[in-house]
Amino acid sequence: MPSSRLERVEESETIKIANAANKMKSEGIDIISFSLGEPDFNTPDHICKAAADAMYRGDTHYAPSTGIPELREAIANKLQTENKLEVTSDDVLVTPGAKQAIFEVMMSVLDDNDEAILSDPSWVSYSPCIKFAGANPVWAPTDPDNGFMPYGIEELITNKTKLIVVNSPCNPTGGVFDNEMLKTVADLAVDHDLLVLSDEIYEKIIYDKKHISMGSLDGMHERTITVNGFSKAYAMTGWRLGYVTAIPELMKGFKKIHSHSVSSATTFAQFGGVAALEGPQEPVNDMLKEFKARRDILINGLNTIGIKCKRPDGAFYAFADVSEFGDGDAVAEKLLQDAHVAVTPGSAFGLSGKDFVRISYATSQERIKQALQRIEETLL
């Protein structure tokens, strides 16, 4: 019989939609997929070469559990210079993807019946990770007219609250926390003796604002757990390479779970990570320019059709209000079956998403234009 803990957790809706779209593709149907959060660009050549060189010179054995020294040093340097964090290489743990880091954090810092505060909507895997740890997610409402910023967080804090999750830029909304919003969360964390998990995986995909790391704010060094990775900025989703940093007292728990579960990230992939951080950044800038162009085509097109959608400040997602045409679940199903366009229903990300769908514009401008035409023909 399956473990009872599995009953706490729902199936990943993004994976479910992607699987349905892939099944239709295998049947010869031309599906335009906006479902998964995966850049459609190839990993830059210099990163691939670094990993291949490592493989062929024999770096195919176990790596140190916390990560190869070269990568941990490169990550620490990056966090010091770009994010203004007080970090050394000893404070870095390399993981097989940022998702693994988040899972290890939740399992390490949360006890049974603790509470962790999420913005509603939030990325689909935060809540399951919290539930796996035996804790309970508590949802803070957000304001779509104010970039989906959360509000009323203080009213949700109880004696069971342990953690606040910040994801900026945000999946699924593309919202970016400004200094004022971050300071509000920081003040609450200090006043109520809470930890903050800052998921910064989309930090380099910001269009008209500036990324600020939670851990750089006054009083937040000891309270912030920073998670990041290579998947989004460097188009390295299949490499499964992420990292986490925090104070030593917290890192000890992450490392214990890490060593008894995944052991380490793939050795030669880590040399690719070094090349990503220390090599040319022009590919990142080029991808950002293309994402911005795609964003503008998509948002303008959606609003022209009559689908209300705010222009996201970061990431590569549009969180579109489809309430004029039905709830998000019904519209997502209709678009998949009739328009052959795969989007994710907003309900996958929280109760407030029921009238929304998430559209990942990690596909070409041509395909976005084709999808907009199909959507218009199907809904109007």
Side-chain angles (χ1 to χ4, degrees), residues 184-214:
T184 296
V185 175
D187 289 344
L188 291 173
V190 171
D191 291 346
H192 296 275
D193 193 21
L194 305 176
L195 295 171
V196 176
L197 169 59
S198 183
D199 180 356
E200 305 183 10
I201 191 70
Y202 295 97
E203 65 163 342
K204 292 186 180 294
I205 307 176
I206 292 183
Y207 307 108
D208 304 307
K209 292 189 175 182
K210 180 182 178 183
H211 176 72
I212 303 171
S213 288
M214 173 64 76

Side-chain angles (χ1 to χ4, degrees), residues 155-221:
E155 286 72 21
L156 301 175
I157 296 174
T158 71
N159 59 1
K160 295 181 180 179
T161 307
K162 187 75 169 289
L163 179 73
I164 301 174
V165 177
V166 169
N167 177 213
S168 176
C170 174
N171 174 7
T173 66
V176 175
F177 281 42
D178 59 19
N179 190 68
E180 182 180 357
M181 186 70 245
L182 289 173
K183 191 173 186 308
T184 296
V185 175
D187 289 344
L188 291 173
V190 171
D191 291 346
H192 296 275
D193 193 21
L194 305 176
L195 295 171
V196 176
L197 169 59
S198 183
D199 180 356
E200 305 183 10
I201 191 70
Y202 295 97
E203 65 163 342
K204 292 186 180 294
I205 307 176
I206 292 183
Y207 307 108
D208 304 307
K209 292 189 175 182
K210 180 182 178 183
H211 176 72
I212 303 171
S213 288
M214 173 64 76
S216 67
L217 273 59
D218 290 344
M220 289 306 295
H221 168 66

Side-chain angles (χ1 to χ4, degrees), residues 111-134:
D111 284 315
D112 287 347
N113 297 316
D114 279 347
E115 294 176 348
I117 296 176
L118 301 174
S119 297
D120 186 4
S122 278
W123 175 56
V124 295
S125 290
Y126 293 135
S127 177
C129 287
I130 291 166
K131 292 177 180 179
F132 271 128

Side-chain angles (χ1 to χ4, degrees), residues 57 59 64 67-77 89 94 267 270-271 273-275 277-278:
R57 70 171 173 257
D59 288 314
I68 63 171
E70 297 91 333
L71 182 54
R72 293 169 66 206
E73 187 65 37
I75 292 169
N77 288 337
S89 61
V94 179
T267 304
Q270 294 187 54
F271 286 95
V274 175
L277 293 178
E278 296 184 346

Side-chain angles (χ1 to χ4, degrees), residues 35-46:
S35 58
L36 283 180
E38 178 174 40
D40 58 317
F41 308 104
N42 291 328
T43 304
D45 289 343
H46 69 281

Side-chain angles (χ1 to χ4, degrees), residues 241-275:
L241 200 59
Y243 56 89
V244 58
T245 184
I247 58 173
E249 291 86 344
L250 294 171
M251 291 295 293
K252 184 183 298 185
F254 310 158
K255 292 175 182 178
K256 182 181 292 186
I257 294 172
H258 187 82
S259 65
H260 286 299
S261 55
V262 295
S263 294
S264 65
T266 301
T267 304
F268 48 85
Q270 294 187 54
F271 286 95
V274 175

